[in-house]
Amino acid sequence: MSEYTIGRVLLTEEKIAETVARLGREITAEYRDSDREMILVGLLKGSFIFMADLARAVDHPLSVDFMMVSSYGDGTVSSADVKVVMDLDTSIEGKDVIVVEDIVDTGNTFSKVLKMLKNRKPHTLRSCAFLSKPSRRVIDVRIDWIGEEIDDEFVIGYGMDFGQKYRNIKYIGVLEETDP
Ligand code: IMP
Ligand code: MG
């Protein structure tokens, strides 16, 4: 059976902080003249650390809510079927909504969630992903703010897991198979 470990560092803590600060500035600028309610919707579990950082990097009044959808099992392969495991507990109608995701891979999860939320009549619906793997895209999904584009590698840390492990690693590393 294969064993896995954390391989090389892809993004350091410092680089992550710089990227989050840039996203925060861009989002702040975009909503400067809006006095509508802003809400960040984080997709659990992967986005929880990015959400905490991003929410503090945005200089605008906002609220947060979370939603959990299932896409992967405990492996590394996405399925096209996305199920809501835990829904928002607030209404997004008439609000400026930004959906926040850790990483967009095939695009299945993000596109389904965006479609679902659009039906709830937000005033605006935008999207922000910390990472994107453009070469893996199966569904063309619009991402308004992207932290970093990366190659087709499975990454862990900064909220992202492999079999629910490694979410608490402070940097983003590449998952590596070790010889048993
Ligand atoms: P998608 O539906 O294929 O775009 O998959 C998106 C979801 O898969 C993300 O929300 C992540 O939780 C997970 N995911 C995709 N790529 C990775 C990765 O490299 N590391 C950890 N999780 C990933
Ligand atoms: Mg996720």
Side-chain angles (χ1 to χ4, degrees), residues 78-99:
S78 172
S79 81
D81 201 27
V82 172
K83 202 174 82 204
V84 178
V85 176
M86 187 194 96
D87 207 341
L88 303 175
D89 66 10
T90 47
S91 166
I92 57 167
E93 192 174 338
K95 297 179 184 173
D96 284 329
V97 179
I98 304 178
V99 186

Side-chain angles (χ1 to χ4, degrees), residues 13 23-25 50 53 63 73 80 82 103 107 109 123 125 130 136 144 147-148 153 160 162 174-175 178:
E13 269 188 85
L23 293 170
R25 282 194 302 274
F50 176 43
D53 286 345
S63 63
V82 172
I103 180 166
T109 310
H123 186 267
L125 180 65
F130 190 69
R136 293 262 308 161
D144 297 292
E148 306 286 340
E153 293 182 293
M160 289 172 286
F162 174 64
V174 175
L175 185 72
T178 56

Side-chain angles (χ1 to χ4, degrees), residues 1-22:
M1 212 181 85
S2 301
E3 305 248 353
Y4 294 89
T5 186
I6 310 174
R8 58 172 220 290
V9 177
L10 195 63
L11 297 172
T12 62
E13 269 188 85
E14 291 74 21
K15 178 64 184 167
I16 292 170
E18 261 173 45
T19 301
V20 173
R22 171 178 59 78

Side-chain angles (χ1 to χ4, degrees), residues 30-49:
E30 183 74 19
Y31 294 89
R32 187 175 296 134
D33 299 324
S34 166
D35 50 15
R36 275 181 300 276
E37 281 185 58
M38 179 195 281
I39 180 164
L40 303 185
V41 169
L43 303 188
L44 293 173
K45 301 172 189 171
S47 75
F48 80 116
I49 292 177

Side-chain angles (χ1 to χ4, degrees), residues 46 71-72 78-79 82 101-110 133 136 150 153-156 160-162:
S71 49
Y72 288 25
S78 172
S79 81
V82 172
E101 176 65 308
D102 51 356
I103 180 166
V104 177
D105 187 40
T106 63
N108 276 320
T109 310
F110 220 29
K133 290 186 203 170
R136 293 262 308 161
I150 64 168
E153 293 182 293
F154 199 85
V155 294
I156 45 174
M160 289 172 286
D161 73 307
F162 174 64

